[in-house]
Amino acid sequence: MGRPSESDSGKTPYDFGGTWIPSPLEINRRAARKSRNRRNALIAISSSVVVIGGLILIAVTSPGWKSLSDTFFAWAYGVEVLPKIILGFGTNVALTLIASSCVATLGLSIALIRTSRSPALAPFRILATLYVDVFRGIPMLLVILLVGFGIPALRIQGLTNNVLILGTLAVVITYTAYVAEVIRSGILTIHPSQRAAARSLGLSHFQSLRYVVLPQAFRRVTPPLLNDLVALIKDTGLVSILGVTDAVRAAQIASSRSFNYTPYVMAAIVFLLVTIPLTRFTDRTLRRSIERQNATGVA
Amino acid sequence: MTQPVLEVKQLRKSYGSEVVLEDISFSVPVHTATVFIGSSGSGKSTLLRCINLLDQIDDGSIELDGEDITAVDADVDKVRRKLGIVFQSFNLFPHMKVIDNITLAPMKVQGISKEVARESAYKLLDRFGLHDKAEDYPDRLSGGQQQRVAIIRSIAVAPRLLLLDEITSALDPVLVNEVLSTVRDLKIEGMTMVLATHEMGFAKQVADEVCFLHHGKILEWGTPEQILESPKQPETKEFLQRVHEAGRL
């Protein structure tokens, strides 16, 4: 739908059966557009070469470049420690999978509690609001330290001292607060008339949520939720502070042995290999959801 | 005399200090249609929302089949199962296909199996000439088609009473007729209805009783002929005069 963009000016938006031959006026317009597009592409390429090439040149010709590339880009050494980093990254992946499913469940529950109006849930609403306010406002590193060192310090029998579990718990606590807010905002964007229509058909409060409000809300918040997932993957690296042997910790160990920072660069690359494709995917989902919303006339 | 389907007694409704409805009393016998006319802001929509318990009333009572639905212990979900309402803005569920919009309540509220619900939904769509739209999403339909689907959705649960709230106000003049003819068909089949409308010609065709609402009060009521052709109150005359002038433009 909508106006054909300049880039596909070669095609016709509608097929009228092939009897139409473009007028000279249209043919001239197309030729003009084509030459303009070619010129624009040329400008984009040359300016990119100048800017990016210039930045590289500045770095490479700087006086410290030689020593920097020795400590950060010792590729042979990097490849040597790579297996350990990848092994550590397995911990990050596992942590992400476990944490994200916990966060999704808890985040949805808190969002539902905060949007409910039932008087019986009033104390839970207050607690949920307090929880979200507190944990959205504390740096995650602090939450990890508080949970990781605080809970074992309680010395309660039966409570775990396992840093991996405590680290995951801290990540879940923090991200649940973020995700609950994203879901709640999605629920609030659904027009009250949708709920009125559902209730007027005899659907209960819960059924209206389940079949009418939440499916629409989730469509709207999928892109921001995917964004949070990308952020979650890299933030799992923070639990290394508790001594969990993840990719960051593995790189730290390797680098402290050799006084070379290449392992950090390798760890960064490993993270990017996962986060960049996911970010692209998120962008595409976002674009699609915008297109879908624009195509919908009546909400 | 048999019991009316709907009986409203001395209903009062206000938003804050603004009184929207006052001393509203009327009853709707089975198989009849009561039409409310009046200018925008006269309280027509509010009245329908009150009957459907979407808004809480301040005083008076509403009885459905002799049962007080405004009683404190009334089961709201159960009451709504007996009432259908069609809104001015359609309010179809945009994430569901037409057929799923229609079968949702029969399946989830009445517990009818998917096969049976779909079969009767298709029958209704057939009857109103929308069979080929069943698998489309609402945004692919014209406004008139959407509103007809909304009507089908609310009658799919076989309500005792159908409330129609200015259902043609958001439509292109060309599309108004297809929606109105759907309502005429329902009337012929004996559906009991309460309508709020700006379409006087239509009111004349379907109404058994016409009520003129003015500043939240029923100022005049009677047969369509009495109210629309020889109104007694000066306010009713003035309102109808304005409607006719607007129609001539």
Side-chain angles (χ1 to χ4, degrees):
Chain A
M1 284 213 214
R3 195 157 50 92
S5 63
E6 287 182 4
S7 58
D8 51 37
S9 56
K11 287 175 264 165
T12 55
Y14 306 108
D15 185 11
F16 288 112
T19 52
W20 167 67
I21 298 154
S23 66
L25 180 71
E26 174 63 19
I27 290 169
N28 279 341
R29 259 196 310 246
R30 285 182 194 180
R33 275 187 207 127
K34 210 170 175 180
S35 85
R36 192 175 56 197
N37 286 348
R38 207 177 292 142
R39 201 179 58 227
N40 286 349
L42 213 66
I43 293 172
I45 292 168
S46 40
S47 80
S48 305
V49 167
V50 169
V51 172
I52 296 169
L55 285 173
I56 292 174
L57 202 69
I58 290 170
V60 172
T61 56
S62 65
W65 176 251
K66 177 72 180 67
S67 63
L68 181 126
S69 62
D70 285 347
T71 33
F72 283 87
F73 306 122
W75 297 122
Y77 179 54
V79 171
E80 193 189 312
V81 298
L82 189 60
K84 277 192 180 141
I85 290 174
I86 289 178
L87 202 69
F89 190 67
T91 307
N92 295 89
V93 173
L95 214 156
T96 302
L97 292 177
I98 295 166
S100 58
S101 40
C102 295
V103 166
T105 321
L106 293 171
L108 175 61
S109 316
I110 289 183
L112 287 178
I113 290 171
R114 287 201 70 189
T115 49
S116 76
R117 274 175 231 143
S118 148
L121 290 175
F124 298 102
R125 261 199 304 278
I126 296 168
L127 286 176
T129 309
L130 201 70
Y131 164 77
V132 169
D133 282 357
V134 167
F135 287 100
R136 273 203 313 170
I138 303 180
M140 189 157 107
L141 191 57
L142 281 181
V143 179
I144 291 173
L145 290 171
L146 289 172
V147 171
F149 296 131
I151 290 183
L154 291 173
R155 292 201 202 137
I156 297 173
Q157 271 225 313
L159 274 189
T160 180
N161 285 342
N162 183 326
V163 281
L164 186 59
I165 295 175
L166 291 172
T168 311
L169 182 67
V171 171
V172 168
I173 289 175
T174 307
Y175 268 80
T176 296
Y178 298 153
V179 166
E181 279 308 275
V182 171
I183 297 176
R184 187 173 78 103
S185 70
I187 292 173
L188 294 179
T189 60
I190 304 303
H191 198 271
S193 64
Q194 284 287 311
R195 198 187 295 244
R199 294 308 299 274
S200 76
L201 287 169
L203 270 72
S204 67
H205 172 77
F206 177 76
Q207 285 175 323
S208 308
L209 266 178
R210 162 79 182 74
Y211 299 109
V212 176
V213 177
L214 284 182
Q216 295 184 63
F218 269 116
R219 261 161 226 225
R220 286 194 196 171
V221 297
T222 303
L225 285 182
L226 282 171
N227 250 332
D228 278 347
L229 181 63
V230 175
L232 174 64
I233 293 174
K234 59 193 176 57
D235 278 354
T236 57
L238 287 172
V239 300
S240 62
I241 193 114
L242 297 178
V244 174
T245 332
D246 73 326
V248 177
R249 184 79 182 149
Q252 204 176 14
I253 293 167
S255 125
S256 59
R257 271 194 204 130
S258 58
F259 301 105
N260 187 296
Y261 294 123
T262 310
Y264 287 131
V265 177
M266 298 310 283
I269 291 171
V270 170
F271 272 98
L272 284 176
L273 285 177
V274 173
T275 51
I276 288 183
L278 208 65
T279 313
R280 292 294 113 229
F281 176 70
T282 308
D283 279 359
R284 216 179 57 192
T285 318
L286 178 63
R287 205 165 41 240
R288 277 203 194 141
S289 108
I290 289 170
E291 276 166 14
R292 199 168 41 225
Q293 266 168 38
N294 288 347
T296 307
V298 186
Chain B
M1 195 184 149
T2 53
Q3 188 180 48
V5 173
L6 180 76
E7 177 131 40
V8 175
K9 291 175 188 163
Q10 276 118 43
L11 185 150
R12 181 191 160 91
K13 169 73 190 169
S14 60
Y15 291 115
S17 61
E18 193 197 346
V19 179
V20 189
L21 294 169
E22 207 176 356
D23 195 22
I24 302 286
S25 296
F26 65 97
S27 62
V28 184
V30 71
H31 306 315
T32 67
T34 300
V35 173
F36 282 85
I37 58 168
S39 43
S40 302
S42 60
K44 302 188 297 290
S45 292
T46 307
L47 177 59
L48 295 189
R49 288 180 64 88
C50 286
I51 297 173
N52 202 35
L53 305 182
L54 287 170
D55 273 341
Q56 201 179 3
I57 61 171
D58 293 343
D59 208 345
S61 68
I62 303 170
E63 287 175 13
L64 189 64
D65 285 328
E67 191 189 341
D68 184 3
I69 61 171
T70 48
V72 180
D73 58 352
D75 182 344
V76 176
D77 287 342
K78 203 177 135 207
V79 168
R80 291 209 181 108
R81 265 172 247 157
K82 298 171 87 177
L83 293 168
I85 186 166
V86 182
F87 304 92
Q88 186 178 334
S89 51
F90 327 144
N91 297 356
L92 292 176
F93 306 133
H95 63 296
M96 290 182 183
K97 289 176 179 172
V98 164
I99 185 78
D100 298 324
N101 260 279
I102 300 170
T103 57
L104 179 67
M107 280 163 58
K108 302 300 171 194
V109 178
Q110 301 180 317
I112 292 170
S113 76
K114 190 178 176 181
E115 291 69 35
V116 176
R118 282 179 75 93
E119 202 188 311
S120 35
Y122 265 109
K123 261 184 209 152
L124 285 169
L125 285 167
D126 257 344
R127 210 170 83 205
F128 296 107
L130 289 165
H131 188 103
D132 56 329
K133 304 291 177 196
E135 300 294 330
D136 280 341
Y137 283 92
D139 62 354
R140 308 288 298 165
L141 272 57
S142 75
Q145 290 167 339
Q146 289 191 44
Q147 191 59 297
R148 280 151 65 205
V149 171
I151 294 173
I152 293 173
R153 183 176 70 175
S154 53
I155 61 170
V157 288
R160 274 292 278 164
L161 177 69
L162 188 61
L163 309 169
L164 303 165
D165 184 10
E166 294 187 30
I167 57 168
T168 57
S169 297
L171 293 178
D172 203 297
V174 188
L175 302 174
V176 167
N177 237 333
E178 63 181 59
V179 172
L180 295 186
S181 94
T182 302
V183 178
R184 272 193 293 267
D185 289 349
L186 292 179
K187 176 70 177 47
I188 291 165
E189 286 164 26
M191 179 67 77
T192 313
M193 296 187 273
V194 176
L195 305 89
T197 188
H198 287 301
E199 305 281 335
M200 295 306 146
F202 170 64
K204 207 179 285 181
Q205 287 170 12
V206 299
D208 295 286
E209 183 168 62
V210 174
C211 297
F212 173 62
L213 261 186
H214 188 69
H215 293 313
K217 285 184 187 144
I218 298 180
L219 217 61
E220 197 170 358
W221 68 95
T223 65
E225 290 74 26
Q226 279 168 359
I227 304 300
L228 299 173
E229 279 157 25
S230 46
K232 294 194 176 61
Q233 302 292 330
E235 287 88 350
T236 319
K237 283 179 191 160
E238 198 205 320
F239 171 72
L240 290 170
Q241 183 67 27
R242 276 193 287 125
V243 170
H244 284 303
E245 276 165 16
R248 231 177 267 144
L249 284 175

Coordinates of all heavy atoms in Angstrom, one line a residue, chain B residues 105-144:
Chain B
A105 N -17.0 -15.4 21.5 CA -17.9 -15.4 22.7 C -18.7 -16.7 22.7 O -18.8 -17.3 23.8 CB -18.8 -14.2 22.6
P106 N -19.2 -17.2 21.6 CA -20.0 -18.5 21.7 C -19.1 -19.6 22.2 O -19.5 -20.4 23.0 CB -20.3 -18.8 20.2 CG -20.5 -17.4 19.6 CD -19.4 -16.6 20.3
M107 N -17.8 -19.6 21.8 CA -16.9 -20.7 22.3 C -16.5 -20.5 23.8 O -16.6 -21.4 24.6 CB -15.6 -20.7 21.4 CG -15.8 -21.5 20.1 SD -14.5 -21.1 18.9 CE -13.1 -21.7 19.8
K108 N -16.1 -19.3 24.1 CA -15.5 -19.1 25.4 C -16.6 -18.8 26.5 O -16.3 -19.1 27.7 CB -14.5 -17.9 25.4 CG -13.4 -18.1 24.4 CD -12.5 -19.3 24.7 CE -11.6 -19.6 23.6 NZ -11.0 -21.0 23.7
V109 N -17.7 -18.1 26.1 CA -18.7 -17.8 27.1 C -19.7 -18.9 27.2 O -20.1 -19.3 28.3 CB -19.3 -16.4 26.7 CG1 -20.4 -16.1 27.8 CG2 -18.3 -15.3 26.7
Q110 N -20.2 -19.3 26.0 CA -21.3 -20.3 26.1 C -20.8 -21.8 26.0 O -21.5 -22.7 26.2 CB -22.2 -20.1 24.9 CG -22.8 -18.7 24.9 CD -23.8 -18.5 23.7 OE1 -23.4 -18.9 22.6 NE2 -24.9 -17.9 24.0
G111 N -19.4 -21.9 25.8 CA -18.8 -23.2 25.8 C -19.3 -24.1 24.6 O -19.2 -25.3 24.7
I112 N -19.6 -23.5 23.5 CA -20.0 -24.2 22.3 C -18.7 -24.7 21.6 O -17.7 -24.0 21.6 CB -20.8 -23.3 21.4 CG1 -22.2 -23.0 22.0 CG2 -21.0 -23.9 20.0 CD1 -23.0 -21.9 21.3
S113 N -18.8 -25.9 21.0 CA -17.6 -26.4 20.4 C -17.2 -25.6 19.1 O -18.1 -24.9 18.6 CB -17.8 -27.9 19.9 OG -18.6 -27.9 18.8
K114 N -15.9 -25.6 18.8 CA -15.4 -24.8 17.7 C -16.2 -25.1 16.4 O -16.6 -24.2 15.7 CB -13.9 -25.1 17.5 CG -13.3 -24.1 16.5 CD -11.8 -24.4 16.4 CE -11.2 -23.5 15.3 NZ -9.8 -23.7 15.1
E115 N -16.4 -26.4 16.1 CA -17.1 -26.7 14.8 C -18.5 -26.1 14.8 O -18.9 -25.5 13.8 CB -17.2 -28.3 14.7 CG -15.9 -29.0 14.5 CD -15.0 -29.0 15.7 OE1 -15.5 -29.0 16.9 OE2 -13.7 -28.9 15.6
V116 N -19.3 -26.3 15.9 CA -20.6 -25.8 15.9 C -20.7 -24.3 15.8 O -21.4 -23.7 15.1 CB -21.4 -26.3 17.2 CG1 -22.8 -25.7 17.2 CG2 -21.4 -27.9 17.2
A117 N -19.7 -23.7 16.5 CA -19.7 -22.2 16.6 C -19.4 -21.7 15.2 O -20.0 -20.7 14.7 CB -18.6 -21.7 17.6
R118 N -18.4 -22.3 14.5 CA -18.0 -21.9 13.1 C -19.2 -22.1 12.2 O -19.5 -21.2 11.3 CB -16.8 -22.6 12.6 CG -15.5 -22.1 13.3 CD -14.3 -22.9 12.8 NE -14.0 -22.6 11.4 CZ -13.1 -21.7 11.1 NH1 -12.4 -21.0 12.0 NH2 -12.8 -21.4 9.8
E119 N -19.9 -23.2 12.3 CA -21.0 -23.5 11.4 C -22.1 -22.4 11.5 O -22.5 -21.9 10.5 CB -21.5 -24.9 11.7 CG -22.3 -25.5 10.6 CD -23.0 -26.8 11.0 OE1 -22.3 -27.6 11.6 OE2 -24.2 -26.9 10.7
S120 N -22.4 -22.1 12.8 CA -23.5 -21.1 12.9 C -23.0 -19.7 12.5 O -23.8 -18.9 12.0 CB -24.1 -21.1 14.3 OG -23.2 -21.4 15.2
A121 N -21.7 -19.4 12.7 CA -21.2 -18.1 12.3 C -21.2 -18.0 10.8 O -21.6 -17.0 10.2 CB -19.7 -18.0 12.8
Y122 N -20.9 -19.1 10.1 CA -20.9 -19.1 8.6 C -22.4 -18.9 8.2 O -22.6 -18.2 7.2 CB -20.3 -20.4 8.1 CG -18.9 -20.2 7.7 CD1 -17.9 -20.8 8.4 CD2 -18.5 -19.4 6.6 CE1 -16.5 -20.7 8.1 CE2 -17.2 -19.2 6.3 CZ -16.2 -19.8 7.0 OH -14.9 -19.7 6.7
K123 N -23.3 -19.5 8.9 CA -24.7 -19.3 8.5 C -25.1 -17.8 8.6 O -25.7 -17.3 7.7 CB -25.6 -20.2 9.4 CG -26.0 -21.5 8.8 CD -27.0 -22.2 9.7 CE -26.9 -23.7 9.5 NZ -27.2 -24.5 10.7
L124 N -24.7 -17.2 9.7 CA -25.0 -15.8 9.8 C -24.3 -14.9 8.7 O -24.9 -14.0 8.1 CB -24.6 -15.3 11.2 CG -25.4 -15.7 12.4 CD1 -24.8 -15.4 13.7 CD2 -26.8 -15.1 12.3
L125 N -23.0 -15.2 8.5 CA -22.3 -14.5 7.5 C -23.0 -14.7 6.1 O -23.1 -13.7 5.3 CB -20.9 -15.0 7.4 CG -20.0 -14.5 8.5 CD1 -18.7 -15.2 8.6 CD2 -19.7 -13.0 8.4
D126 N -23.4 -15.9 5.8 CA -24.1 -16.2 4.6 C -25.3 -15.3 4.4 O -25.6 -14.7 3.4 CB -24.6 -17.6 4.6 CG -23.7 -18.5 3.8 OD1 -22.9 -18.0 2.9 OD2 -23.8 -19.8 3.9
R127 N -26.1 -15.3 5.5 CA -27.4 -14.6 5.5 C -27.2 -13.1 5.2 O -28.0 -12.5 4.6 CB -28.1 -14.8 6.8 CG -29.6 -14.8 6.6 CD -30.2 -15.2 7.9 NE -30.3 -14.1 8.8 CZ -30.4 -14.3 10.2 NH1 -30.3 -15.5 10.7 NH2 -30.5 -13.3 10.9
F128 N -26.1 -12.5 5.7 CA -25.9 -11.1 5.5 C -24.9 -10.8 4.4 O -24.3 -9.7 4.4 CB -25.5 -10.4 6.8 CG -26.6 -10.5 7.9 CD1 -26.4 -11.4 9.0 CD2 -27.7 -9.8 7.7 CE1 -27.4 -11.5 9.9 CE2 -28.7 -9.9 8.7 CZ -28.6 -10.7 9.8
G129 N -24.6 -11.8 3.6 CA -23.8 -11.6 2.4 C -22.4 -11.3 2.7 O -21.7 -10.6 1.9
L130 N -21.8 -11.9 3.7 CA -20.4 -11.7 4.1 C -19.6 -13.0 4.1 O -18.5 -13.0 4.7 CB -20.3 -11.0 5.4 CG -20.8 -9.5 5.5 CD1 -21.0 -9.1 6.9 CD2 -19.8 -8.6 4.8
H131 N -20.1 -14.0 3.5 CA -19.5 -15.3 3.5 C -18.0 -15.3 3.1 O -17.1 -15.8 3.7 CB -20.3 -16.3 2.6 CG -19.8 -17.7 2.7 ND1 -20.4 -18.7 3.5 CD2 -18.6 -18.3 2.3 CE1 -19.8 -19.8 3.4 NE2 -18.7 -19.6 2.7
D132 N -17.7 -14.5 2.0 CA -16.4 -14.5 1.5 C -15.4 -13.7 2.3 O -14.2 -13.6 2.0 CB -16.4 -14.0 0.0 CG -17.1 -12.7 -0.2 OD1 -18.0 -12.4 0.6 OD2 -16.7 -11.9 -1.0
K133 N -15.9 -13.0 3.3 CA -15.0 -12.2 4.2 C -14.6 -12.9 5.4 O -13.9 -12.4 6.2 CB -15.7 -10.9 4.6 CG -16.3 -10.1 3.4 CD -15.1 -9.5 2.7 CE -15.6 -8.7 1.5 NZ -14.5 -8.4 0.5
A134 N -15.1 -14.1 5.6 CA -14.9 -14.9 6.9 C -13.4 -15.0 7.3 O -13.1 -14.8 8.5 CB -15.5 -16.2 6.8
E135 N -12.6 -15.2 6.3 CA -11.2 -15.5 6.7 C -10.3 -14.2 6.5 O -9.1 -14.3 6.6 CB -10.6 -16.6 5.8 CG -11.3 -17.9 5.9 CD -11.1 -18.6 7.3 OE1 -10.1 -18.3 7.9 OE2 -12.0 -19.3 7.7
D136 N -11.0 -13.0 6.4 CA -10.2 -11.8 6.3 C -10.1 -11.2 7.7 O -10.8 -11.4 8.6 CB -11.0 -10.8 5.4 CG -10.7 -11.1 3.9 OD1 -9.7 -11.8 3.6 OD2 -11.5 -10.6 3.1
Y137 N -9.0 -10.3 7.8 CA -8.9 -9.5 9.0 C -9.8 -8.3 8.9 O -10.0 -7.8 7.7 CB -7.4 -9.2 9.3 CG -6.7 -10.3 9.8 CD1 -6.0 -11.2 9.0 CD2 -6.7 -10.6 11.2 CE1 -5.3 -12.3 9.5 CE2 -6.0 -11.7 11.7 CZ -5.3 -12.5 10.9 OH -4.7 -13.6 11.4
P138 N -10.3 -7.7 10.0 CA -11.2 -6.6 9.9 C -10.7 -5.4 9.1 O -11.5 -4.8 8.4 CB -11.4 -6.2 11.4 CG -11.2 -7.5 12.1 CD -10.1 -8.2 11.4
D139 N -9.4 -5.2 9.1 CA -8.9 -4.0 8.4 C -9.0 -4.1 6.9 O -8.7 -3.2 6.1 CB -7.5 -3.6 8.8 CG -6.5 -4.7 8.6 OD1 -6.9 -5.8 8.1 OD2 -5.3 -4.4 8.8
R140 N -9.3 -5.3 6.4 CA -9.5 -5.5 4.9 C -10.9 -5.2 4.5 O -11.2 -5.2 3.3 CB -9.1 -6.9 4.5 CG -7.8 -7.4 5.0 CD -6.7 -6.8 4.2 NE -6.7 -7.1 2.8 CZ -6.0 -6.4 1.9 NH1 -5.2 -5.4 2.3 NH2 -6.1 -6.8 0.6
L141 N -11.8 -4.9 5.5 CA -13.2 -4.7 5.2 C -13.6 -3.2 5.1 O -12.9 -2.4 5.8 CB -14.1 -5.4 6.2 CG -14.4 -6.8 6.1 CD1 -13.2 -7.7 5.9 CD2 -15.3 -7.3 7.2
S142 N -14.6 -2.9 4.4 CA -15.1 -1.5 4.4 C -15.8 -1.2 5.8 O -16.1 -2.2 6.5 CB -16.1 -1.3 3.3 OG -17.3 -1.9 3.6
G143 N -16.0 0.1 6.0 CA -16.7 0.4 7.3 C -18.0 -0.3 7.5 O -18.4 -0.8 8.5
G144 N -18.8 -0.3 6.4 CA -20.1 -0.9 6.4 C -20.0 -2.4 6.7 O -20.8 -3.0 7.5

